[in-house]
Amino acid sequence: METVELKVEMVGIHEKRLRKCLSKLKGIEKVEVDVSSQKVMVTGYVHRNKILKAIRRGGLKADFWSTQDELLSVYASASYGSLRFNNFNFF
């Protein structure tokens, strides 16, 4: 069993379309969607390229989740007053 993390550009309506695209693939056990960070985690016995291809065929922009996306997600969700690194305030 493999977990694939994807970055999918979506608004509220696109979550239903995303789940419909993934429901057509056999072997998917679980789909978790975080709309605020645009992150989708798919767990199952399906090759990661097939998952990506199915989402793109559904008309959604998608790519594999990277560490750069993780940093951007943390930066965007942090409030400006509490952003601190090594006791230095940036905002």
Side-chain angles (χ1 to χ4, degrees), residues 40-53:
V40 177
M41 292 178 53
V42 180
T43 305
Y45 296 100
V46 181
H47 195 272
R48 60 187 300 164
N49 290 336
K50 286 188 178 185
I51 295 170
L52 182 64
K53 191 174 184 179

Side-chain angles (χ1 to χ4, degrees), residues 1-72:
M1 189 176 300
E2 180 181 10
T3 300
V4 179
E5 296 179 342
L6 301 158
K7 178 181 173 70
V8 181
E9 292 183 20
M10 63 181 152
V11 292
I13 301 170
H14 290 159
E15 182 177 352
K16 187 175 181 180
R17 188 189 316 173
L18 171 77
R19 290 187 185 275
K20 186 176 180 181
C21 293
L22 293 175
S23 69
K24 295 176 183 178
L25 293 176
K26 294 180 182 177
I28 292 182
E29 299 289 326
K30 183 169 66 170
V31 177
E32 297 176 27
V33 179
D34 184 8
V35 179
S36 63
S37 64
Q38 299 183 347
K39 183 176 185 178
V40 177
M41 292 178 53
V42 180
T43 305
Y45 296 100
V46 181
H47 195 272
R48 60 187 300 164
N49 290 336
K50 286 188 178 185
I51 295 170
L52 182 64
K53 191 174 184 179
I55 294 172
R56 287 182 175 169
R57 279 187 179 167
L60 298 171
K61 294 181 182 180
D63 205 0
F64 295 114
W65 189 264
S66 67
T67 54
Q68 181 182 9
D69 295 328
E70 189 75 35
L71 291 173
L72 290 174

